[in-house]
Amino acid sequence: MAYDVNELFPYPKNWVNDETHTIATAVHQWADKKIINNRLEYQKAYSELFLERRRSHNLDIGFQRIIFPEEYGGSGFNTLEKTPQLVTILGELSRADAGLGFMSALEYALSAVAAMEPNVNKEVCDLIAPMLCGQELKTVSILMPGQGIKDRIDPLFMGRPISARITPAQEGYSLSGSGIRPIGNGAIADIFGVVCADPDGRPGIAYVAADSKGISRGEEIKQTGLDACLNADISFSNVHVPSGHVIMNDDAVRELYTWLNLFLGAVSVGACLNFFEILRNWADNRVIKGKGLLKNNPLCASVLAAVAEEIGLAKILVYNISNFIGRTEVWGGHENPVIFMAAQMFGKRIQQCSLNAINRGMELMASAGYAKEWHAEKHWRDVKTIQSVLCGVGAEVPVQLDIARFFYESDLD
Amino acid sequence: MAYDVNELFPYPKNWVNDETHTIATAVHQWADKKIINNRLEYQKAYSELFLERRRSHNLDIGFQRIIFPEEYGGSGFNTLEKTPQLVTILGELSRADAGLGFMSALEYALSAVAAMEPNVNKEVCDLIAPMLCGQELKTVSILMPGQGIKDRIDPLFMGRPISARITPAQEGYSLSGSGIRPIGNGAIADIFGVVCADPDGRPGIAYVAADSKGISRGEEIKQTGLDACLNADISFSNVHVPSGHVIMNDDAVRELYTWLNLFLGAVSVGACLNFFEILRNWADNRVIKGKGLLKNNPLCASVLAAVAEEIGLAKILVYNISNFIGRTEVWGGHENPVIFMAAQMFGKRIQQCSLNAINRGMELMASAGYAKEWHAEKHWRDVKTIQSVLCGVGAEVPVQLDIARFFYESDLD
Amino acid sequence: MKSIDDFSRPLNNVSPMERPFRKVLRRVVDDEIMPHRRKYDEDWENHEYIEPVIHKLCVGLGIQKALFPQEYGGWSLGQSDYMMALAYCIAEEVGRGDSALSLSSICSLWPVCTFLIPPLVNMDLARELAPMFTGEALCIGCQAMTEPQGGSDIENMDLIKGKTITTTARQDGDHWVINGHKLWPTNSGGIATIFGVPCTTRPGSEDPNDFAYIMVPADTEGVTQSPPYAKAGMAADKNGDIWFENARVPLSYRIHGPGKDALAFKGLIYMGQLGSVGFAVGALMNVYEILYEFASTRTFGNRLLKENDAIAGILGDIAGSIDICRVLAYEVVRLGDDRNKPWGNPIYSEETIAKSRNIKEFICDKAVDVCGKAMDILGTHGSDRAWDVEKHWRDLKMVQLWLGGKQLCQMEKARYYFNCTTL
Amino acid sequence: MKSIDDFSRPLNNVSPMERPFRKVLRRVVDDEIMPHRRKYDEDWENHEYIEPVIHKLCVGLGIQKALFPQEYGGWSLGQSDYMMALAYCIAEEVGRGDSALSLSSICSLWPVCTFLIPPLVNMDLARELAPMFTGEALCIGCQAMTEPQGGSDIENMDLIKGKTITTTARQDGDHWVINGHKLWPTNSGGIATIFGVPCTTRPGSEDPNDFAYIMVPADTEGVTQSPPYAKAGMAADKNGDIWFENARVPLSYRIHGPGKDALAFKGLIYMGQLGSVGFAVGALMNVYEILYEFASTRTFGNRLLKENDAIAGILGDIAGSIDICRVLAYEVVRLGDDRNKPWGNPIYSEETIAKSRNIKEFICDKAVDVCGKAMDILGTHGSDRAWDVEKHWRDLKMVQLWLGGKQLCQMEKARYYFNCTTL
């Protein structure tokens, strides 16, 4: 039975305008045509077709430049009220391939901190906009705080160890740090966004072109999922960073977390929506107990329902975060701590719900759940990879401590 | 440290107008003054003070009549866009006592089906509005479908057995059914809302004054919680019901479920917000490990965070359901099946989150968690009672089957 | 037709005494507890219905003398390789009827476990106290542990090492003089006959030699008990405050002496876990019985609940969880009953305590969960006290929270398995 | 310093052979599996690294001959009261290194369990097949169960009674002629030496007498295997399609005959659960080792992860869960090894199957959960294959899903404990 998976899962549509629906429909159709309807072919020549499709989406259609102001050649989606739109686009893209979504999410998140009104950072935009608004594919990698090593004392961002350091140098800073693990794309990035600390331990974000002198990459890392988003540890050896390319404040780091939670939430939900389509197709066609469709057996139906519920919840939460961010007249901007807290708290939950949905749905698919042929397992590996890279170390603990700080004024550093 | 528990938990404020804030603040202050700040006294003379406070809220301030059109002497909150307001009021009231909230929720839910524009049912309003808009406390009890008995074949509402039957009789119907368990208030109700089936098995709702001939009540039931909402099984022996007092359609029953999920969700979240206040106070003052406040210990903080997260999630979901209902320009009215589905799906989750929150928070309070003196245990018992009465039988299964019908077109009857 | 007797037990490790003893207990529960237990909630202050059953169990069946040496009128159960199995069996069978009754009866012996289980035996003290416990009068023991300021500190011996204990024992001639304030112990609230009191001979000390455990009869001058507190459940267990104001007891009432007192006290943690898992599993088995009845007589979609695949799935999960809890509970039994085997460890060993805490935590979490889910299956009858599931739900939540609660379990597990040093 | 050897085992029930045997296995895993296992994912088609290790385990250590009678060159393990304990020990120790390797080695014996475990023994068939299994050549057994249309129907014998089986056995003179299509079994995908084939002598029948289990050597004419499928994990286990087209085997290759074949096949369900819990617990113990290393060297808030109370809480929960799984896994062992005891049941009994299914389901759920949580603790290293946790996560998900998956477990539990009749 034909149905529209996006319309099936309710969300506050009043937050999304007609323009968005138009764009979303276009991406949806593109995804069906270019990837979803030809999955086996796509799977067989994955790395090649991934690049080709990425180019098609980002350059031919032009989504790579979408977030930048028009004066930089972007599409001007750099106001906070465009947030639901960005989320919708990422979701549609990730329905086809969470790897494509992940790459765009990293690009949008890092760009948003610099390009979103009212706090457009001209110098950073001057650095990254020409690359991202040009006619070449560019890849963004982000290095977040989160992991320290025994016997080393690090500056902390809300408890999270920061491994990269900047020290003042002539006309800017010198960036150093060894073997730091990005959340993705390290092996192929053109731009690094590096959360770093100055000698006083204050955190900030350095924007660094990947071809800067003093940057070296470790071996390519084999990963659970996001196969095309090749990662590698990065070392910075006295890399020169102009002072204008460093955004030195806590709020910016919090904002980066916020965008990551939102955008990667959209990616995981997008992957889940395609998983839902796969599962629904399975449930529509599989006979069990020698009679009756799987979807008509009450026990299987209750598992199917659990899958839909988790996805529905994750989707609602994505749009609620985007509402917190986008409704500046209600919530102000990122300086309001509630936005960071809500993005972290619900962002974590979105990943949990997404993974739960796939985990449970796989139960019903038996070996089709883990056979590559059915693609369910790809979504499962991709979403898990996103979930685990988002948390730094210590699973949900860093986020829980953020929540406790907010709600109970816990003193935890 | 002074804080406003409502402001602490974010929700889409843009859905709630200034009028609501004013009303909410008034109820909040009333709750603090009349109940929360004098809990021990309230507990000691519970049944007496419960009645007195109920009178104060419902009659002196006038919330009993709020939902009815002004021509009936009501306050005219009978448009769907007032939904977030009703939710806000119920939450504030339940923060003081979930029993008070539960009673109002039942009244509002049953009334809403008859009084909400655009489908105002004049005949039913003529019956119940004079009672509920008058100067006496009136109690509403609702009998939902859900439980059948071995070897009896019942008409079904989406799988749920309906125990009450109506048959055409002179100028109306004759209502019968023996020993049916209401979801609450059976022992003290003035008005019954009875989901019943006609001889063709079609479901509807009969509105019946409790003093109608042929109604008898069983023994008062001792319950886990909601101590003041005294319940009893109800038997109807050929009770005459004018035809205008019966709303005969599936949608009406679905609508009743929707309102119950929304309003009882608001009640549980309200109770949780007060539980949060109790817990935060505990965490602010308790020293553990011979040093340091409980809230500053990372493990305890992570549990505190889990409590806040569950409450935050439940609250977001309440407002999202109310948005689905209230935004008729987006979703239409209750005839859109997505509204019933979303209310059921998220309504169930709200109860789970609420109970999780209290369950986990009690972990940190040791014996203070279950000592009556601290009141935490009352919220726990009240919320659990709401959760279990909402589901009919079979725990979440009936709702999961509803979800599967919606998302997978499962054929389950 | 399946019954509660189909849940798993490691039959190769079961005492020959267990079968007949279970039978007797089962009858007492069915005949004397089940018919009255719905009245217990309102009986929490007076124990009008409760007290006679406790008397029956403790005196009538002899539970209260079980640990005392045979030469002083007891059963020498502490010597037995099946001691823990038998204690568990009582906890479970009585817990099926009422966890609090089970708790109250068994906890009565809790303090005397400190000196009646080898290798930590004090025969002199056993002889001295035997007349109280082996006679025809009900003797209620109470292990008065928690202090107002401390929360679960006192159970957290490995980290806190007793330094926050404020109840003091001062030697004065041939007496100990006890001062302090305890609250919440089982069998306080006015009914205790004798207290076991963990206290310190040097306040603020972290030296285990300064930890003392002293038996204090409730009628000692200077000992006061408050009336019982009102609680969410567990009416058969009274809890209150106890004040010791210059309460004097003979020096011989200290159970062992420096060092060994602390060990014996740690052993009580194990005994507490053992009882807890018994109460919980017993109650769960009753939940299974109730669910069986309900699911076999009520319908959804005009099928019996148990014949709807989705509801049956939940029922199956519940029964499966109960079986898993039973298996694990017997692992707690094994940990204790192997104490004298070459591969075993004393009940106060780090391993026995960490592992039994882990299982207790698991079973209690599962039990609260199962009871809550069972209430939901009963729907509008789930919160009805007439079906008794909600009673178990309230009671087991309390079992979950006591003995330092969940977070302390987590810490102890982490310390044990990850060699944490600062937690 | 704690290690994986500190997790619980019921030492009163452990075979004297187990300790030395574990030592050998541990060394093989540490020396020959651990250093290479990261290459296995890419080795799924060729088994360049994998095959030699399987050879080492099955031939070198002798696993493949273990069940055969001593007089035919085996160890007669099926007679032993410690058979299940030993099988479990292999599954666990090898599973610590690689679940799929463990699976592949052990499953090789799965089909022959149908006629080498008393009381269902077929000595003639044993003698006939012994040369394949007891020689120096690798002999890979494959129990070819699942059919394209059926999903888990075939494991659901109690309800479906084999009526959906489409693989047929027709008697033709002194041969069985087999026709049908099977897919997904462990050790197919081209590597099987011999198949155990559940089939029917009368398609559509619900009569257990029409169920047949027939051994079919892979080189029989008419038997074809597909290349292996690509999967999310478990590279050391090849799975593919098998087609039987008029494949002829001697009549004596039917394991027992009408009625007993069905019983023997049900016994395989138990054996499958036993292996599954072994693979899962073994992998979990390795996860513990990895977590221990990571949490002792990485910091958050400038403290070691394991010294942050909140992270330690999760670590403690994980270790506690693993211990619980270990205890429960040994209960599965006990269920099987008590099969000849007066209180025991045959491995094909309703009780043994329902209870072992329950525990398998629990352990697998917990295992997937624990691995996922462990990945999150490792954060950006969690999805890094160099840390191996994600490998266990992928592998154990597959263990969770096989043998009919979770829903069948739920149904069987419900049927067992609630006497459901229509599920």
Side-chain angles (χ1 to χ4, degrees), chain A residues 1-3 7-15 276 279-280 283-284 295-299 301-310 312-313 316-317 320 323-324 327 329-331 338 341-342 345-346 348-349 352-353 360 397 399-401 403-404 406-412, chain B residues 1-3 7-15 276 279-280 283-284 295-299 301-310 312-313 316-317 320 323-324 327 329-331 338 341-342 345-346 348-349 352-353 360 397 399-401 403-404 406-412:
Chain A
M1 180 88 58
Y3 65 100
E7 291 306 302
L8 210 50
F9 287 89
Y11 62 100
K13 288 194 212 178
N14 36 314
W15 288 339
F276 172 84
L279 180 65
R280 183 166 146 145
D284 259 351
K295 70 174 181 178
N296 298 336
N297 171 280
L299 179 59
S302 75
V303 180
L304 291 170
V307 173
E309 181 180 334
E310 292 291 317
L313 183 54
I316 279 277
L317 291 178
N320 276 274
N323 181 58
F324 290 135
R327 294 290 173 130
E329 78 281 12
V330 182
W331 298 101
V338 75
M341 184 284 296
M345 179 166 96
F346 293 134
K348 162 170 93 67
R349 182 65 75 120
Q352 286 168 347
C353 288
R360 298 239 42 210
V397 166
V399 176
Q400 285 183 295
L401 301 186
I403 297 171
F406 181 88
F407 283 101
Y408 303 89
E409 301 178 344
S410 293
D411 180 7
L412 290 161
Chain B
M1 180 92 55
Y3 66 100
E7 292 305 303
L8 210 48
F9 287 90
Y11 63 99
K13 287 195 211 179
N14 35 313
W15 289 339
F276 172 84
L279 180 65
R280 181 167 147 145
D284 260 349
K295 70 174 181 177
N296 298 337
N297 172 279
L299 179 59
S302 74
V303 181
L304 292 169
V307 173
E309 183 180 332
E310 293 290 317
L313 182 54
I316 280 277
L317 291 177
N320 275 276
N323 180 58
F324 290 135
R327 293 290 173 129
E329 77 282 11
V330 182
W331 298 101
V338 74
M341 184 284 298
M345 179 166 95
F346 294 133
K348 160 172 94 66
R349 182 66 75 117
Q352 286 168 346
C353 288
R360 298 238 44 208
V397 167
V399 176
Q400 285 183 296
L401 300 186
I403 296 171
F406 181 87
F407 283 102
Y408 303 89
E409 300 178 344
S410 293
D411 180 8
L412 291 160

Side-chain angles (χ1 to χ4, degrees), chain D residues 296-344:
Chain D
S296 303
T297 55
R298 309 292 163 133
T299 67
F300 176 81
N302 289 324
R303 298 165 76 93
L304 292 180
L305 298 188
K306 69 176 186 177
E307 302 293 347
N308 172 294
D309 294 55
I311 299 170
I314 302 177
L315 294 171
D317 285 346
I318 288 178
S321 294
I322 298 173
D323 200 49
I324 278 170
C325 290
R326 190 78 173 314
V327 170
L328 293 170
Y330 268 98
E331 176 72 6
V332 177
V333 168
R334 189 188 72 75
L335 284 165
D337 274 341
D338 279 1
R339 67 196 178 283
N340 301 319
K341 304 272 171 64
W343 54 82

Side-chain angles (χ1 to χ4, degrees), chain D residues 78 80-85 117-118 270-271 274 329-341 344-349 352-353 356:
Chain D
S80 163
D81 278 354
Y82 296 113
M83 174 194 165
M84 304 306 170
I117 302 175
Y270 166 76
M271 296 304 299
L274 178 73
Y330 268 98
E331 176 72 6
V332 177
V333 168
R334 189 188 72 75
L335 284 165
D337 274 341
D338 279 1
R339 67 196 178 283
N340 301 319
K341 304 272 171 64
N345 294 292
I347 59 173
Y348 49 77
S349 69
T352 297
I353 292 176
S356 61

Side-chain angles (χ1 to χ4, degrees), chain C residues 64 128-139 193-194 217-219 253:
Chain C
Q64 76 179 26
E128 197 150 6
L129 298 182
M132 292 176 78
F133 282 88
T134 57
E136 286 306 305
L138 183 58
C139 171
T193 319
I194 185 166
D219 58 4
Y253 278 35

